[in-house]
């Protein structure tokens, strides 16, 4: 049973959101860390993201049957757990919202609720099966965790919080599109209208390049607006230029664009980890 719950929670996705939430929290803290708030943030975001992931599994279990990378998910092989998964997700979601609303602040609770609704209802339940722009909408919810971390300290929205949101949105497009390209045949078989299938690889590549460039520009704004120092600036500048270079790079033996998309995907993870680390250690008081 424990293995069931762990698989439904999608630990890798939770970990990624924890990192971005932590980055926002440490950026706002400016070295003056309230460890109780930090702990509550990590608990709250884990509960809400876990709830969202479970409901995503519930909504997608029929699609998961048709995709080789998801056909062994627990709800596909054990549909008897379907109702239990729903109850478990509701419990986690309510507990997560309560954690933010009661122990941190109402602003964060509202942001967490907004992210939950966008991901579960707008993205998973409706747009994923109908629109090539579902990823753009889904990226809104994915950009909320660092804002939660930041606003849990400040209890208000400022330019830094807005910039955090924008940067994470532009980061997610290349990251997500690279995943689509890595598993393109799966999405075709499941008849999911993802952007690369409908618009072609070349158009997808163009959008990825634009988003990487915008990611670079808005990331640099942290230093321009004196929220971070020049260590952050040069770290992100170098890594973004490499990411941009990888988006232009071609491979003669890469007929299905697998090598290209893997390079974009793995570099997106590296740049996100470095960005959050540098925000924490090079914030400006």
């Amino acid at each position: 049973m424990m293995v069931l719950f762990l698989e439904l929670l999608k630990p890798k996705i939770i970990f990624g959101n924890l990192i971005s939430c932590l980055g926002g929290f440490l950026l706002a803290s400016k070295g003056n860390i309230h460890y109780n708030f930090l702990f509550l943030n990590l608990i709250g975001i884990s509960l809400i993201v876990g709830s969202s992931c479970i409901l995503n599994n519930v909504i997608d279990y029929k699609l998961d049957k048709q995709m080789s990378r998801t056909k062994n998910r627990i709800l596909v092989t054990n549909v008897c757990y379907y109702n239990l998964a729903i109850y478990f997700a509701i419990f986690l979601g309510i507990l997560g919202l309560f954690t933010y609303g009661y122990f941190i602040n109402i602003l964060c609770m509202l942001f967490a609720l907004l992210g939950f609704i966008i991901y579960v209802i707008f993205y998973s339940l409706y747009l994923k099966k109908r629109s090539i722009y579902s990823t753009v909408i889904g990226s809104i919810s994915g950009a909320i965790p660092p804002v939660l971390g930041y606003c849990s300290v400040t209890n208000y929205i400022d330019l830094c919080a807005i910039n955090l949101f924008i940067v994470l949105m532009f980061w997610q497009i290349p990251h997500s599109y690279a995943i689509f390209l890595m598993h393109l045949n799966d999405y075709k078989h499941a008849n999911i209208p993802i952007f690369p299938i409908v618009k072609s690889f070349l158009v997808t590549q163009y959008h990825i390049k634009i988003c990487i460039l915008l990611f670079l520009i808005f990331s640099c704004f942290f230093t321009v607006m004196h929220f971070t120092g020049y260590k952050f600036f040069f770290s992100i500048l170098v890594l973004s230029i490499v990411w941009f270079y990888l988006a232009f790079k071609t491979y003669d033996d890469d007929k299905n664009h697998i090598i290209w998309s893997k390079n974009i995907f793995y570099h997106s993870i590296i740049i996100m980890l470095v960005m959050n680390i540098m925000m924490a250690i090079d914030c400006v008081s």
Side-chain angles (χ1 to χ4, degrees):
M1 186 66 71
M2 187 62 67
V3 175
L4 160 67
F5 288 155
L6 186 63
E7 185 177 334
L8 284 172
L9 288 170
K10 297 184 180 178
K12 291 180 181 179
I13 294 179
I14 291 178
F15 179 74
N17 282 276
L18 284 174
I19 294 297
S20 60
C21 180
L22 179 61
F25 179 89
L26 295 175
L27 178 61
S29 297
K30 302 183 185 301
N32 185 25
I33 301 172
H34 296 277
Y35 288 98
N36 288 340
F37 264 25
L38 174 58
F39 175 75
L40 289 168
N41 261 289
L42 299 182
I43 294 297
I45 196 70
S46 297
L47 291 169
I48 291 167
V49 173
S51 174
S52 301
C53 287
I54 293 172
L55 290 175
N56 177 261
N57 276 329
V58 168
I59 293 166
D60 283 352
Y61 90 98
K62 289 183 179 179
L63 290 175
D64 289 342
K65 291 180 182 179
Q66 304 173 51
M67 301 173 67
S68 60
R69 74 185 184 95
T70 57
K71 65 182 180 181
N72 292 319
R73 283 181 176 173
I74 195 70
L75 290 184
V76 176
T77 57
N78 295 276
V79 72
C80 58
Y81 293 125
Y82 187 87
N83 289 334
L84 178 61
I86 295 174
Y87 296 138
F88 185 46
I90 293 171
F91 170 74
L92 292 183
I94 292 173
L95 189 58
L97 291 173
F98 174 79
T99 300
Y100 271 111
Y102 186 81
F103 293 106
I104 299 179
N105 59 56
I106 297 299
L107 178 63
C108 284
M109 185 192 75
L110 292 175
F111 272 130
L113 180 60
L114 176 64
F116 180 89
I117 290 172
I118 290 173
Y119 183 75
V120 174
I121 297 177
F122 288 95
Y123 171 73
S124 299
L125 191 61
Y126 185 76
L127 289 171
K128 184 175 180 179
K129 305 177 188 68
R130 294 174 174 84
S131 174
I132 62 172
Y133 300 108
S134 60
T135 303
V136 177
I137 302 302
S139 67
I140 295 173
S141 61
I144 286 178
V147 179
L148 285 175
Y150 187 90
C151 291
S152 68
V153 176
T154 64
N155 199 16
Y156 59 80
I157 303 168
D158 60 12
L159 284 176
C160 188
I162 294 170
N163 203 57
L164 271 171
F165 178 81
I166 293 171
V167 166
L168 262 291
M169 275 200 67
F170 285 128
W171 172 85
Q172 285 182 89
I173 303 301
H175 178 81
S176 299
Y177 283 4
I179 294 173
F180 293 160
L181 289 166
M182 288 162 59
H183 304 284
L184 197 62
N185 290 331
D186 266 352
Y187 286 100
K188 285 180 179 178
H189 186 257
N191 199 30
I192 300 174
I194 57 172
F195 194 89
I197 292 176
V198 178
K199 293 292 185 177
S200 82
F201 169 72
L202 290 177
V203 176
T204 302
Q205 190 181 45
Y206 174 76
H207 279 244
I208 286 175
K209 291 171 184 175
I210 293 297
C211 287
I212 291 174
L213 181 60
L214 290 170
F215 169 85
L216 168 60
I217 292 169
F218 281 96
S219 294
C220 290
F221 280 173
F222 286 118
T223 301
V224 172
M225 294 186 292
H226 305 293
F227 296 119
T228 59
Y230 284 97
K231 293 177 184 177
F232 172 89
F233 178 85
F234 287 114
S235 298
I236 296 303
L237 180 63
V238 171
L239 286 172
S240 296
I241 290 173
V242 173
W243 203 16
F244 203 54
Y245 164 76
L246 291 173
F248 277 92
K249 189 173 174 59
T250 58
Y251 306 87
D252 294 336
D253 58 344
D254 191 24
K255 294 181 180 179
N256 295 318
H257 315 298
I258 299 298
I259 298 172
W260 186 90
S261 57
K262 282 185 176 180
N263 284 337
I264 296 296
F265 173 76
Y266 289 119
H267 194 78
S268 72
I269 295 174
I270 292 170
I271 201 169
M272 183 50 54
L273 287 171
V274 172
M275 187 182 80
N276 283 285
I277 292 169
M278 294 307 297
M279 280 196 305
I281 67 177
D282 197 33
C283 58
V284 176
S285 300

